Amino acid sequence: MSKPPELYWLKNKNDNGNDICVDKMEEGKFRILEFGTFYPILNSGYLIDNSIAEILQRYVPEQIEFIKKVTVWRKATNEEWNNYSEIKIKHHLDLQQFENAKFDGYRIYHLMYNHIYVSPKLKERLTAECEKVNELEFAKERPLYAS
């Protein structure tokens, strides 16, 4: 039996499920549907804080289809936040593929299109270089539904 991959689930620390709910209105603009907490990772990992995006662009650009800065807009107050980027990761894993995923070097994956997973080496760079590192958690586990 092979050793399970050493991948880390990149998620928000202290996430109580009260993050903002957004909807893509147009290219580069997301509307807040339900107001909540602004975490570094939003919308199942499709929106990430710009500080995370910069590190990913530096270390795994070939594994990312695109990263685009976006505006998050709250209609009720006409407030805007410009500190997020939309990301589309090239490599998607299902539960079967997860067990055989490569984790050497710098790697990033989307598991089941909902969760971002990173290799140990990419985790090291995020930990060392990301200004939001105190708001992030690197869990060495799969989501509950994937167990």
Side-chain angles (χ1 to χ4, degrees):
M1 186 173 198
S2 64
K3 180 183 173 190
E6 189 175 330
L7 293 172
Y8 292 87
W9 179 8
L10 175 61
K11 60 184 188 171
N12 298 310
K13 190 182 284 185
N14 302 322
D15 187 341
N16 60 9
N18 190 32
D19 55 332
I20 65 168
C21 180
V22 296
D23 182 41
K24 188 171 186 175
M25 293 178 54
E26 59 193 49
E27 196 62 38
K29 191 165 188 176
F30 287 77
R31 172 183 54 165
I32 296 175
L33 299 175
E34 191 173 321
F35 198 73
T37 305
F38 281 88
Y39 291 109
I41 302 169
L42 298 173
N43 211 30
S44 296
Y46 287 97
L47 292 182
I48 57 174
D49 188 88
N50 287 336
S51 64
I52 300 169
E54 290 168 10
I55 294 165
L56 297 180
Q57 285 177 309
R58 191 174 314 129
Y59 292 101
V60 290
E62 72 288 349
Q63 297 175 49
I64 295 171
E65 195 165 315
F66 66 78
I67 293 181
K68 300 175 188 170
K69 290 188 177 184
V70 298
T71 297
V72 177
W73 174 63
R74 186 177 186 194
K75 184 178 179 180
T77 60
N78 204 31
E79 291 174 276
E80 290 185 348
W81 291 264
N82 295 303
N83 58 315
Y84 285 94
S85 291
E86 181 179 12
I87 183 171
K88 185 168 183 187
I89 299 168
K90 286 183 181 177
H91 305 288
H92 297 271
L93 301 174
D94 60 27
L95 298 179
Q96 192 172 22
Q97 294 167 326
F98 184 88
E99 296 304 323
N100 299 313
K102 294 180 181 178
F103 56 91
D104 59 314
Y106 298 112
R107 303 274 183 178
I108 186 167
Y109 299 99
H110 235 147
L111 175 65
M112 307 283 290
Y113 296 92
N114 287 325
H115 304 286
I116 297 174
Y117 275 79
V118 297
S119 65
K121 202 164 184 179
L122 187 54
K123 172 191 174 281
E124 286 175 15
R125 299 299 0 122
L126 286 162
T127 302
E129 299 177 29
C130 184
E131 64 186 48
K132 296 283 185 175
V133 71
N134 292 332
E135 298 175 49
L136 297 173
E137 181 179 344
F138 297 90
K140 200 170 175 188
E141 62 187 46
R142 293 190 283 176
L144 290 176
Y145 67 82
S147 297

